[in-house]
Amino acid sequence: MTKIGIIGAGPSGLLLALYLLQHSGRFPCRVAVTVFEREENHFRQERSNPDRSYTIDITGHGLRAIRSLGGNLESRFDKELIPFRGIHSYTINKTLPYSEKGWTGSRGDICSSLLNELEASLTDLDAAVEVLLHWNSEVTSVDPNSGELIWQREHDAADHRESFDLIVGADGGGSMLRRQLEAQGRLTTHKKSIPNYSRILHLDKNVPNKVLEPTLLHSFSLEPWAVGGAILDVESSQRDIEQADTAKKLYVQMGYTNYRPYEDVASAAGTIESIRIARHDTAHRVDERSVDLRHYVSDSELLSFAERPVYHTGKTVKCSSLCAGRAVLLGDAATAFPPVGQGVNAALEGASVLGETLLEELLRAESGADLGACVQRYSDRWLPEANACADIANTVVYGSTLSRSKLLLQGALSELSGIDFAAAQLAKDSRYTYLEALRISRIRNAWAIGIVMALATILLVAFF
Ligand SMILES: Cc1cc2nc3c(=O)[nH]c(=O)nc-3n(C[C@H](O)[C@H](O)[C@H](O)COP(=O)(O)OP(=O)(O)OC[C@H]3O[C@@H](n4cnc5c(N)ncnc54)[C@H](O)[C@@H]3O)c2cc1C
């Protein structure tokens, strides 16, 4: 029996458990997976938190991970999450369609759907893989050499100890396991910070769902940064939902360059009113009259928005290795980076890569799998990808004229040529790895700069 402990039931921890469970028939030995989550069961948590929820899109890399499980999760996402059809840019008044399959929703929507699928897959009692979920259970310490893990239940100060062959830290950006491994000198981290801060705005007036298409991400403005999208408007306990029949809520992630709170409600209103957008009618045709975003914000939401906390979302943490002894890092715990539409996608793909590497090792080893060598292979395979994704995420800096001009120029060149130039856009394409997306973007941008300079030189020579 191989025992695997997973710390964290976020997207990466749940997908790994699901990967192992759904490939159960291929495992040559029994595998016992225990998931420890310090928060409440997803079915009892609020699906969204107006202070920090915004729309997450699952695209290329996430799609690849979901397909690595077989068809069940994909069908569930089709039913329970909102389809993603592209980005509408109000700066150029154009919809940039997304041709592959994708979905959007809040982290709560995504985790609830993953958990629904996990529970549906747990019905085969003879399966080689068993999964046990401990909610309200915080892991406080891990010994990467012995594989012993210490955890505590909520309202119970007692330490519980359990040993595992492998401990997976899927415990998010502030990972306890990563900090512990770093403190023990088992790995080093490289931290970087850009001035990207976020505050959430809820568009709650004038029925925005009927006017602002929920299957699109809405890039309202680059300065101030304002990108919105839909999540499902459901009660925390609602499990069996059909997204098509479910009301949607629209949240906007507003980007700032500092933590500073608004001095008063009028300043907050000023920011929202500075964003003018062309209005769409209910058939999504552009209406010539334009409105500002305040048109979609009630007075009470404006008050809440003005007082809402601002989060520093510009932090990047890269690790020198993703494993040490019997411990391995996954998702945001492995590599954390600013939101650029890839946090959940990279978390899901990393989990499928780890699941696949574990399966290969257990299939290869007739007796006594070498899980240490196995997680080293995962680290060698996934770390360069995760680091490339972090580099892509650092290409978007709110409030930077250079970053904004670059995004606008890349958008214009894409419109003219029909090919993507921005690394963040190429990262949504399932044909490319993150390393390829970064490399292609650098090559195309270098060519574009070269062509523009050559044209400028020809013009100068022709006229003077
Ligand atoms: C509450 C929350 C809301 C978010 N909302 C958005 C969003 O709207 N849009 C977006 O793009 N990104 C959002 N993110 C970030 C994005 O979701 C992440 O990139 C993605 O979720 C990474 O998945 P993960 O599984 O690696 O980590 P996480 O989603 O962070 O999950 C880690 C899990 O581990 C649990 N955990 C942590 N420490 C312990 C411990 N010691 N013991 C037991 N359990 C532990 C946490 O409670 C959490 O459930 C959010 C993250 C969080 C935590």
Side-chain angles (χ1 to χ4, degrees), residues 127-164:
V129 178
E130 59 192 66
V131 177
L132 189 65
L133 294 141
H134 287 308
W135 302 103
N136 302 311
S137 302
E138 177 161 8
V139 176
T140 54
S141 175
V142 168
D143 181 342
N145 295 325
S146 67
E148 188 185 68
L149 168 156
I150 302 176
W151 57 286
Q152 288 181 343
R153 274 203 195 91
E154 202 182 25
H155 311 306
D156 165 13
D159 280 346
H160 301 268
R161 289 164 193 272
E162 197 168 342
S163 289
F164 292 92

mmCIF file of all heavy atoms in Angstrom, residues 127-164:
data_model
loop_
_atom_site.group_PDB
_atom_site.id
_atom_site.type_symbol
_atom_site.label_atom_id
_atom_site.label_comp_id
_atom_site.label_asym_id
_atom_site.label_seq_id
_atom_site.Cartn_x
_atom_site.Cartn_y
_atom_site.Cartn_z
ATOM 1 N N ALA A 127 -12.012 -0.061 -5.900
ATOM 2 C CA ALA A 127 -10.957 0.651 -6.635
ATOM 3 C C ALA A 127 -9.631 0.541 -5.900
ATOM 4 O O ALA A 127 -9.603 0.490 -4.663
ATOM 5 C CB ALA A 127 -11.346 2.119 -6.789
ATOM 6 N N ALA A 128 -8.521 0.506 -6.693
ATOM 7 C CA ALA A 128 -7.187 0.395 -6.084
ATOM 8 C C ALA A 128 -6.820 1.667 -5.323
ATOM 9 O O ALA A 128 -5.960 1.658 -4.452
ATOM 10 C CB ALA A 128 -6.152 0.124 -7.172
ATOM 11 N N VAL A 129 -7.464 2.782 -5.691
ATOM 12 C CA VAL A 129 -7.138 4.058 -5.026
ATOM 13 C C VAL A 129 -8.292 4.463 -4.120
ATOM 14 O O VAL A 129 -9.455 4.470 -4.534
ATOM 15 C CB VAL A 129 -6.890 5.167 -6.080
ATOM 16 C CG1 VAL A 129 -6.612 6.502 -5.399
ATOM 17 C CG2 VAL A 129 -5.714 4.790 -6.991
ATOM 18 N N GLU A 130 -7.992 4.749 -2.863
ATOM 19 C CA GLU A 130 -9.035 5.281 -1.979
ATOM 20 C C GLU A 130 -8.657 6.694 -1.554
ATOM 21 O O GLU A 130 -7.471 7.011 -1.417
ATOM 22 C CB GLU A 130 -9.254 4.380 -0.762
ATOM 23 C CG GLU A 130 -8.010 4.192 0.069
ATOM 24 C CD GLU A 130 -8.174 3.075 1.108
ATOM 25 O OE1 GLU A 130 -8.316 1.908 0.693
ATOM 26 O OE2 GLU A 130 -8.135 3.416 2.301
ATOM 27 N N VAL A 131 -9.675 7.548 -1.417
ATOM 28 C CA VAL A 131 -9.409 8.951 -1.059
ATOM 29 C C VAL A 131 -10.222 9.303 0.181
ATOM 30 O O VAL A 131 -11.430 9.061 0.245
ATOM 31 C CB VAL A 131 -9.790 9.907 -2.216
ATOM 32 C CG1 VAL A 131 -9.579 11.370 -1.801
ATOM 33 C CG2 VAL A 131 -8.965 9.611 -3.467
ATOM 34 N N LEU A 132 -9.541 9.865 1.174
ATOM 35 C CA LEU A 132 -10.186 10.308 2.407
ATOM 36 C C LEU A 132 -9.984 11.810 2.537
ATOM 37 O O LEU A 132 -8.868 12.295 2.346
ATOM 38 C CB LEU A 132 -9.508 9.584 3.581
ATOM 39 C CG LEU A 132 -10.119 9.710 4.963
ATOM 40 C CD1 LEU A 132 -11.504 9.064 4.982
ATOM 41 C CD2 LEU A 132 -9.214 8.994 5.983
ATOM 42 N N LEU A 133 -11.062 12.546 2.834
ATOM 43 C CA LEU A 133 -10.949 14.004 2.941
ATOM 44 C C LEU A 133 -11.142 14.436 4.382
ATOM 45 O O LEU A 133 -12.155 14.097 4.995
ATOM 46 C CB LEU A 133 -12.004 14.671 2.056
ATOM 47 C CG LEU A 133 -11.816 14.463 0.545
ATOM 48 C CD1 LEU A 133 -13.148 14.249 -0.147
ATOM 49 C CD2 LEU A 133 -11.108 15.647 -0.074
ATOM 50 N N HIS A 134 -10.175 15.167 4.939
ATOM 51 C CA HIS A 134 -10.306 15.731 6.295
ATOM 52 C C HIS A 134 -10.498 17.238 6.170
ATOM 53 O O HIS A 134 -9.543 17.949 5.815
ATOM 54 C CB HIS A 134 -9.029 15.502 7.112
ATOM 55 C CG HIS A 134 -8.827 14.086 7.549
ATOM 56 N ND1 HIS A 134 -9.787 13.364 8.213
ATOM 57 C CD2 HIS A 134 -7.741 13.276 7.442
ATOM 58 C CE1 HIS A 134 -9.309 12.163 8.492
ATOM 59 N NE2 HIS A 134 -8.082 12.081 8.035
ATOM 60 N N TRP A 135 -11.693 17.744 6.451
ATOM 61 C CA TRP A 135 -11.931 19.191 6.402
ATOM 62 C C TRP A 135 -11.617 19.803 7.765
ATOM 63 O O TRP A 135 -11.543 19.090 8.769
ATOM 64 C CB TRP A 135 -13.391 19.478 6.020
ATOM 65 C CG TRP A 135 -13.748 18.875 4.693
ATOM 66 C CD1 TRP A 135 -14.481 17.744 4.475
ATOM 67 C CD2 TRP A 135 -13.372 19.341 3.383
ATOM 68 N NE1 TRP A 135 -14.587 17.473 3.124
ATOM 69 C CE2 TRP A 135 -13.918 18.443 2.440
ATOM 70 C CE3 TRP A 135 -12.625 20.431 2.911
ATOM 71 C CZ2 TRP A 135 -13.750 18.594 1.060
ATOM 72 C CZ3 TRP A 135 -12.450 20.583 1.542
ATOM 73 C CH2 TRP A 135 -13.006 19.683 0.638
ATOM 74 N N ASN A 136 -11.504 21.117 7.830
ATOM 75 C CA ASN A 136 -11.191 21.842 9.067
ATOM 76 C C ASN A 136 -9.968 21.230 9.764
ATOM 77 O O ASN A 136 -9.909 21.139 10.987
ATOM 78 C CB ASN A 136 -12.377 21.810 10.042
ATOM 79 C CG ASN A 136 -13.615 22.409 9.420
ATOM 80 O OD1 ASN A 136 -13.556 23.492 8.860
ATOM 81 N ND2 ASN A 136 -14.727 21.697 9.477
ATOM 82 N N SER A 137 -9.021 20.784 8.974
ATOM 83 C CA SER A 137 -7.853 20.084 9.516
ATOM 84 C C SER A 137 -6.580 20.737 8.993
ATOM 85 O O SER A 137 -6.272 20.624 7.798
ATOM 86 C CB SER A 137 -7.869 18.618 9.095
ATOM 87 O OG SER A 137 -9.053 18.021 9.531
ATOM 88 N N GLU A 138 -5.864 21.414 9.878
ATOM 89 C CA GLU A 138 -4.683 22.158 9.448
ATOM 90 C C GLU A 138 -3.411 21.365 9.716
ATOM 91 O O GLU A 138 -3.192 20.895 10.842
ATOM 92 C CB GLU A 138 -4.619 23.500 10.192
ATOM 93 C CG GLU A 138 -3.363 24.276 9.831
ATOM 94 C CD GLU A 138 -3.470 25.748 10.152
ATOM 95 O OE1 GLU A 138 -4.461 26.159 10.790
ATOM 96 O OE2 GLU A 138 -2.545 26.487 9.758
ATOM 97 N N VAL A 139 -2.584 21.231 8.701
ATOM 98 C CA VAL A 139 -1.291 20.568 8.881
ATOM 99 C C VAL A 139 -0.329 21.608 9.443
ATOM 100 O O VAL A 139 -0.195 22.702 8.901
ATOM 101 C CB VAL A 139 -0.771 19.992 7.544
ATOM 102 C CG1 VAL A 139 0.616 19.394 7.715
ATOM 103 C CG2 VAL A 139 -1.748 18.956 7.005
ATOM 104 N N THR A 140 0.304 21.285 10.557
ATOM 105 C CA THR A 140 1.173 22.276 11.203
ATOM 106 C C THR A 140 2.652 21.983 10.987
ATOM 107 O O THR A 140 3.483 22.873 11.127
ATOM 108 C CB THR A 140 0.889 22.347 12.721
ATOM 109 O OG1 THR A 140 0.997 21.022 13.239
ATOM 110 C CG2 THR A 140 -0.499 22.911 13.007
ATOM 111 N N SER A 141 2.983 20.744 10.660
ATOM 112 C CA SER A 141 4.398 20.410 10.500
ATOM 113 C C SER A 141 4.560 19.144 9.653
ATOM 114 O O SER A 141 3.702 18.257 9.666
ATOM 115 C CB SER A 141 4.995 20.209 11.895
ATOM 116 O OG SER A 141 6.304 19.779 11.796
ATOM 117 N N VAL A 142 5.691 19.087 8.916
ATOM 118 C CA VAL A 142 5.977 17.921 8.075
ATOM 119 C C VAL A 142 7.444 17.554 8.261
ATOM 120 O O VAL A 142 8.300 18.445 8.289
ATOM 121 C CB VAL A 142 5.731 18.267 6.578
ATOM 122 C CG1 VAL A 142 6.290 17.188 5.663
ATOM 123 C CG2 VAL A 142 4.241 18.478 6.300
ATOM 124 N N ASP A 143 7.725 16.266 8.394
ATOM 125 C CA ASP A 143 9.118 15.827 8.405
ATOM 126 C C ASP A 143 9.395 15.196 7.035
ATOM 127 O O ASP A 143 8.940 14.077 6.772
ATOM 128 C CB ASP A 143 9.344 14.810 9.538
ATOM 129 C CG ASP A 143 10.792 14.343 9.602
ATOM 130 O OD1 ASP A 143 11.513 14.520 8.592
ATOM 131 O OD2 ASP A 143 11.204 13.810 10.645
ATOM 132 N N PRO A 144 10.145 15.905 6.166
ATOM 133 C CA PRO A 144 10.337 15.375 4.805
ATOM 134 C C PRO A 144 11.175 14.099 4.769
ATOM 135 O O PRO A 144 11.126 13.359 3.782
ATOM 136 C CB PRO A 144 11.044 16.520 4.065
ATOM 137 C CG PRO A 144 11.627 17.390 5.112
ATOM 138 C CD PRO A 144 10.824 17.204 6.358
ATOM 139 N N ASN A 145 11.928 13.805 5.849
ATOM 140 C CA ASN A 145 12.752 12.587 5.847
ATOM 141 C C ASN A 145 11.925 11.354 6.190
ATOM 142 O O ASN A 145 11.958 10.348 5.482
ATOM 143 C CB ASN A 145 13.900 12.718 6.864
ATOM 144 C CG ASN A 145 14.847 13.823 6.453
ATOM 145 O OD1 ASN A 145 15.079 14.035 5.263
ATOM 146 N ND2 ASN A 145 15.377 14.546 7.424
ATOM 147 N N SER A 146 11.151 11.445 7.299
ATOM 148 C CA SER A 146 10.371 10.268 7.719
ATOM 149 C C SER A 146 9.014 10.214 7.039
ATOM 150 O O SER A 146 8.376 9.169 6.997
ATOM 151 C CB SER A 146 10.173 10.308 9.237
ATOM 152 O OG SER A 146 9.326 11.409 9.567
ATOM 153 N N GLY A 147 8.520 11.358 6.524
ATOM 154 C CA GLY A 147 7.182 11.393 5.925
ATOM 155 C C GLY A 147 6.096 11.578 6.965
ATOM 156 O O GLY A 147 4.918 11.388 6.683
ATOM 157 N N GLU A 148 6.511 11.959 8.211
ATOM 158 C CA GLU A 148 5.483 12.166 9.244
ATOM 159 C C GLU A 148 4.889 13.568 9.134
ATOM 160 O O GLU A 148 5.609 14.548 8.909
ATOM 161 C CB GLU A 148 6.054 11.978 10.643
ATOM 162 C CG GLU A 148 4.946 12.001 11.686
ATOM 163 C CD GLU A 148 5.447 11.932 13.124
ATOM 164 O OE1 GLU A 148 6.086 12.885 13.591
ATOM 165 O OE2 GLU A 148 5.170 10.905 13.766
ATOM 166 N N LEU A 149 3.579 13.595 9.308
ATOM 167 C CA LEU A 149 2.869 14.875 9.195
ATOM 168 C C LEU A 149 2.063 15.082 10.475
ATOM 169 O O LEU A 149 1.496 14.135 11.026
ATOM 170 C CB LEU A 149 2.003 14.723 7.957
ATOM 171 C CG LEU A 149 0.899 15.625 7.508
ATOM 172 C CD1 LEU A 149 0.718 15.471 6.020
ATOM 173 C CD2 LEU A 149 -0.383 15.291 8.203
ATOM 174 N N ILE A 150 2.061 16.322 10.997
ATOM 175 C CA ILE A 150 1.287 16.617 12.213
ATOM 176 C C ILE A 150 0.133 17.539 11.830
ATOM 177 O O ILE A 150 0.334 18.521 11.105
ATOM 178 C CB ILE A 150 2.167 17.286 13.293
ATOM 179 C CG1 ILE A 150 3.347 16.377 13.627
ATOM 180 C CG2 ILE A 150 1.354 17.607 14.546
ATOM 181 C CD1 ILE A 150 4.347 16.966 14.619
ATOM 182 N N TRP A 151 -1.048 17.210 12.281
ATOM 183 C CA TRP A 151 -2.201 18.051 11.942
ATOM 184 C C TRP A 151 -3.142 18.191 13.118
ATOM 185 O O TRP A 151 -3.125 17.388 14.053
ATOM 186 C CB TRP A 151 -2.941 17.493 10.717
ATOM 187 C CG TRP A 151 -3.429 16.073 10.841
ATOM 188 C CD1 TRP A 151 -2.659 14.952 10.797
ATOM 189 C CD2 TRP A 151 -4.771 15.637 11.025
ATOM 190 N NE1 TRP A 151 -3.437 13.830 10.937
ATOM 191 C CE2 TRP A 151 -4.744 14.222 11.065
ATOM 192 C CE3 TRP A 151 -5.997 16.283 11.146
ATOM 193 C CZ2 TRP A 151 -5.888 13.447 11.221
ATOM 194 C CZ3 TRP A 151 -7.130 15.502 11.293
ATOM 195 C CH2 TRP A 151 -7.069 14.107 11.339
ATOM 196 N N GLN A 152 -3.925 19.264 13.052
ATOM 197 C CA GLN A 152 -4.879 19.559 14.132
ATOM 198 C C GLN A 152 -6.255 19.793 13.544
ATOM 199 O O GLN A 152 -6.375 20.456 12.513
ATOM 200 C CB GLN A 152 -4.466 20.838 14.871
ATOM 201 C CG GLN A 152 -3.251 20.662 15.726
ATOM 202 C CD GLN A 152 -2.876 21.959 16.460
ATOM 203 O OE1 GLN A 152 -3.322 23.034 16.108
ATOM 204 N NE2 GLN A 152 -2.063 21.824 17.491
ATOM 205 N N ARG A 153 -7.268 19.278 14.263
ATOM 206 C CA ARG A 153 -8.650 19.569 13.851
ATOM 207 C C ARG A 153 -9.098 20.868 14.492
ATOM 208 O O ARG A 153 -8.631 21.205 15.580
ATOM 209 C CB ARG A 153 -9.587 18.464 14.335
ATOM 210 C CG ARG A 153 -9.662 17.319 13.393
ATOM 211 C CD ARG A 153 -10.964 16.546 13.600
ATOM 212 N NE ARG A 153 -10.813 15.265 12.930
ATOM 213 C CZ ARG A 153 -10.354 14.171 13.512
ATOM 214 N NH1 ARG A 153 -10.039 14.176 14.779
ATOM 215 N NH2 ARG A 153 -10.234 13.054 12.830
ATOM 216 N N GLU A 154 -10.017 21.565 13.841
ATOM 217 C CA GLU A 154 -10.555 22.787 14.425
ATOM 218 C C GLU A 154 -11.196 22.457 15.775
ATOM 219 O O GLU A 154 -11.809 21.398 15.926
ATOM 220 C CB GLU A 154 -11.616 23.363 13.470
ATOM 221 C CG GLU A 154 -11.858 24.821 13.672
ATOM 222 C CD GLU A 154 -12.942 25.349 12.745
ATOM 223 O OE1 GLU A 154 -13.800 24.548 12.308
ATOM 224 O OE2 GLU A 154 -12.931 26.534 12.479
ATOM 225 N N HIS A 155 -11.098 23.354 16.742
ATOM 226 C CA HIS A 155 -11.648 23.186 18.094
ATOM 227 C C HIS A 155 -11.076 21.979 18.822
ATOM 228 O O HIS A 155 -11.718 21.379 19.664
ATOM 229 C CB HIS A 155 -13.183 23.058 18.071
ATOM 230 C CG HIS A 155 -13.842 24.124 17.267
ATOM 231 N ND1 HIS A 155 -13.615 25.455 17.487
ATOM 232 C CD2 HIS A 155 -14.708 24.047 16.229
ATOM 233 C CE1 HIS A 155 -14.318 26.164 16.620
ATOM 234 N NE2 HIS A 155 -14.986 25.346 15.832
ATOM 235 N N ASP A 156 -9.885 21.543 18.452
ATOM 236 C CA ASP A 156 -9.281 20.385 19.108
ATOM 237 C C ASP A 156 -7.773 20.633 19.080
ATOM 238 O O ASP A 156 -7.149 20.562 18.018
ATOM 239 C CB ASP A 156 -9.666 19.111 18.322
ATOM 240 C CG ASP A 156 -8.816 17.911 18.690
ATOM 241 O OD1 ASP A 156 -8.106 17.976 19.708
ATOM 242 O OD2 ASP A 156 -8.875 16.901 17.960
ATOM 243 N N ALA A 157 -7.207 20.949 20.234
ATOM 244 C CA ALA A 157 -5.796 21.358 20.271
ATOM 245 C C ALA A 157 -4.839 20.171 20.133
ATOM 246 O O ALA A 157 -3.634 20.357 19.986
ATOM 247 C CB ALA A 157 -5.517 22.102 21.571
ATOM 248 N N ALA A 158 -5.383 18.928 20.124
ATOM 249 C CA ALA A 158 -4.497 17.754 20.101
ATOM 250 C C ALA A 158 -3.767 17.644 18.770
ATOM 251 O O ALA A 158 -4.326 17.961 17.725
ATOM 252 C CB ALA A 158 -5.332 16.504 20.341
ATOM 253 N N ASP A 159 -2.496 17.204 18.840
ATOM 254 C CA ASP A 159 -1.736 16.932 17.607
ATOM 255 C C ASP A 159 -2.029 15.518 17.140
ATOM 256 O O ASP A 159 -1.963 14.571 17.920
ATOM 257 C CB ASP A 159 -0.226 17.043 17.905
ATOM 258 C CG ASP A 159 0.238 18.487 17.925
ATOM 259 O OD1 ASP A 159 -0.515 19.363 17.458
ATOM 260 O OD2 ASP A 159 1.361 18.725 18.411
ATOM 261 N N HIS A 160 -2.359 15.381 15.875
ATOM 262 C CA HIS A 160 -2.532 14.045 15.288
ATOM 263 C C HIS A 160 -1.335 13.792 14.384
ATOM 264 O O HIS A 160 -0.917 14.693 13.661
ATOM 265 C CB HIS A 160 -3.816 13.974 14.459
ATOM 266 C CG HIS A 160 -5.047 14.293 15.257
ATOM 267 N ND1 HIS A 160 -5.785 13.325 15.892
ATOM 268 C CD2 HIS A 160 -5.636 15.469 15.536
ATOM 269 C CE1 HIS A 160 -6.794 13.911 16.536
ATOM 270 N NE2 HIS A 160 -6.723 15.211 16.331
ATOM 271 N N ARG A 161 -0.794 12.587 14.452
ATOM 272 C CA ARG A 161 0.391 12.271 13.646
ATOM 273 C C ARG A 161 0.069 11.140 12.683
ATOM 274 O O ARG A 161 -0.630 10.187 13.059
ATOM 275 C CB ARG A 161 1.551 11.810 14.543
ATOM 276 C CG ARG A 161 2.126 12.920 15.360
ATOM 277 C CD ARG A 161 2.976 12.402 16.505
ATOM 278 N NE ARG A 161 3.237 13.491 17.428
ATOM 279 C CZ ARG A 161 4.253 14.328 17.320
ATOM 280 N NH1 ARG A 161 5.140 14.169 16.367
ATOM 281 N NH2 ARG A 161 4.419 15.309 18.177
ATOM 282 N N GLU A 162 0.586 11.230 11.477
ATOM 283 C CA GLU A 162 0.401 10.139 10.523
ATOM 284 C C GLU A 162 1.593 10.125 9.563
ATOM 285 O O GLU A 162 2.104 11.192 9.203
ATOM 286 C CB GLU A 162 -0.904 10.364 9.746
ATOM 287 C CG GLU A 162 -1.376 9.109 9.057
ATOM 288 C CD GLU A 162 -2.808 9.207 8.521
ATOM 289 O OE1 GLU A 162 -3.565 10.103 8.955
ATOM 290 O OE2 GLU A 162 -3.128 8.379 7.657
ATOM 291 N N SER A 163 2.040 8.939 9.165
ATOM 292 C CA SER A 163 3.188 8.862 8.256
ATOM 293 C C SER A 163 2.747 8.496 6.851
ATOM 294 O O SER A 163 1.815 7.699 6.660
ATOM 295 C CB SER A 163 4.187 7.824 8.763
ATOM 296 O OG SER A 163 4.799 8.343 9.922
ATOM 297 N N PHE A 164 3.425 9.084 5.879
ATOM 298 C CA PHE A 164 3.095 8.866 4.460
ATOM 299 C C PHE A 164 4.347 8.540 3.666
ATOM 300 O O PHE A 164 5.460 8.931 4.046
ATOM 301 C CB PHE A 164 2.437 10.132 3.880
ATOM 302 C CG PHE A 164 1.083 10.411 4.462
ATOM 303 C CD1 PHE A 164 0.956 11.240 5.578
ATOM 304 C CD2 PHE A 164 -0.061 9.836 3.924
ATOM 305 C CE1 PHE A 164 -0.285 11.491 6.129
ATOM 306 C CE2 PHE A 164 -1.309 10.090 4.477
ATOM 307 C CZ PHE A 164 -1.430 10.914 5.582
#
